[in-house]
Amino acid sequence: MRLHPQSDLTLADRERGLRLLVIEAAFSGGAAALTSGVILTAFALHLGASNVMVGLLAATPFLAQLLQLPAIQLVERWRRRKAIAVFSSIIGRLMLLVMALLAFSGGTPALLTFLAAQMVLCGLGAIGGCAWNAWMRDLAPEDRLGDVFARRTIWLTAISLVLGLAAALALDWTAAGSTARDMVFAAMFVAGCVTGLISARLVAMMPEPLMPPADGPIDLRALLRAPLRDRNFSRLLVFVASWQFAINLATPFFTVFIVRQLHFNVSFVLLLSVVSQIANILALRLWGRLSDRFANKSVLAVCAPAYILAIVAMIGASQFGDRTLVKLWLVALHLVMGATIAGVTLASTNIALKLSPKGSATAYVATNAMTTAIAAGLAPILGGLLAQFFAARQFELVARWSGPNGVWTLPIVLTAWDFYFLLAGLIGIYAIHRLSLVKERGAIERREMVGQVLNETRRSIRNISSVAGLRAATDLPGALLRDARLRVRLRRAQPAHRQRMS
């Protein structure tokens, strides 16, 4: 296993590395699908985690991203990105074996060990991710980025959907608190560890181009100072901070709400996650097309309010008495949230890049990432700490209609997690207000953007009536990335064409 950088990379070496990059996605995606997200929260509840512990576990991946700052200096000083990525991956994935052993125990010591293992895994993942991103930027040719990462994204998405359904079935066949459920969780984390180690092996087989000589030491404080002095970008950071705080105050506790307050199985929560992922994939091309045609702020002006409204509407799940109606309501909300968060993620990333001056994009994007990490990390911790406070309180509002035929009443009772959804909505409204203060060229009014969304949706529905239209609707997100690659090629060809004409 060669971990040293190569000074000269042959075409065959590069092609082999790109093939491994796509294949590796199946194993890294498998490890993440079996050990993170809903499964991680469900496992914590299986061990008897409190709301505070759930909040800490949800905050760990975000707060760990702060380690990317010292990781930048580590990469610049050691200049061996593959070695950093491989070692951090191996040590981090071994923590999954520790988590697997905890499936057969419980109590405070097991939960504290679980939290410590998650911190090590996420922290090393952030350090390795910093080295990985810089390495991939040099390995993949710019004119093939779209094709390579489209195929990689398709692998990641397919594996996540398949394993998500498999995990839902496995948990559905076992009773909560049973030995069989212990075995299922242990098997998931062991499988996640094995696939993660295979991923690390494939990463070690990929070639690493030699980094150019260093320009000098990096002053992180000076690097992050410029974005904070940019008035328009600072407005964007306030939006990002308030938005991330709003959604992460509520969304990490969806599993707790559905399992403990609504009394549904964990398998149903996993099915909702799959539904959300499918909606996310199908909506990605629409938002990409609209953000290119108009502006990222216009997309955010539609997606952000819709996503916040869906979070607040989760309150409805605790108001309905019919279990079937509750299930349909949750499925509908997860479809909306999956589709709209695709637009929020795409547009918020793009607008941060667009508002970054040329030559300083790294500092601006890093500041945006740090803001996201802090806000998204603190929100679930605060949510966990306040859970006991809201659990002991109740708010009741009764709407009453009196008429000749009698009296009709509609009671609305807010308890426990319902308060979180309402509070997230209020903070989300403030975030949307802060977004309105950000200036971006090409932005259009929300009403006009809604009209464009409806037109694009109607056009997509008409296209689905043919086989070709069905293929276009399902070829995601590869088509979006290939379109971006084509635009890059056309822009490059224009100067050469002008030169020949002259």
Side-chain angles (χ1 to χ4, degrees), residues 114-129:
F114 183 38
L115 178 61
Q118 176 71 355
M119 287 180 173
V120 173
L121 174 63
C122 293
L124 290 173
I127 294 172

Side-chain angles (χ1 to χ4, degrees), residues 315-316 318-319 394-399 409-415 418 422:
I315 294 173
S318 60
Q319 310 302 313
Q394 177 176 309
F395 176 79
E396 185 172 354
L397 180 66
V398 179
T409 60
L410 176 64
I412 300 175
V413 181
L414 302 185
T415 60
D418 296 329
L422 183 61

Side-chain angles (χ1 to χ4, degrees), residues 16-175:
R16 178 174 57 85
L18 295 179
R19 285 195 300 271
L20 290 171
L21 175 61
V22 175
I23 296 171
E24 184 273 338
F27 294 95
S28 60
L34 290 171
T35 61
S36 62
V38 173
I39 291 178
L40 184 74
T41 305
F43 185 52
L45 295 178
H46 178 74
L47 296 178
S50 64
N51 295 320
V52 175
M53 181 62 69
V54 171
L56 288 171
L57 288 169
T60 299
F62 295 106
L63 295 178
Q65 296 305 310
L66 297 174
L67 292 176
Q68 289 212 27
L69 285 177
I72 293 174
Q73 293 183 320
L74 175 64
V75 171
E76 289 296 322
R77 180 174 300 177
W78 198 19
R79 313 189 74 74
R80 293 177 60 181
R81 297 164 293 186
K82 180 163 72 169
I84 295 172
V86 170
F87 287 136
S88 61
S89 177
I90 291 174
I91 299 172
R93 262 62 181 268
L94 287 175
M95 293 297 104
L96 297 175
L97 284 182
V98 176
M99 298 180 188
L101 294 174
L102 296 175
F104 304 99
S105 58
T108 303
L111 285 168
L112 291 177
T113 304
F114 183 38
L115 178 61
Q118 176 71 355
M119 287 180 173
V120 173
L121 174 63
C122 293
L124 290 173
I127 294 172
C130 180
W132 167 269
N133 292 333
W135 173 17
M136 291 304 106
R137 196 179 302 122
D138 290 347
L139 177 64
E142 189 172 344
D143 60 347
R144 295 182 59 190
L145 279 174
D147 179 60
V148 171
F149 283 96
R151 288 186 285 137
R152 181 177 169 83
T153 302
I154 290 171
W155 271 103
L156 285 169
T157 305
I159 290 295
S160 296
L161 290 177
V162 171
L163 292 181
L165 289 172
L169 290 174
L171 291 173
D172 196 39
W173 289 338
T174 58

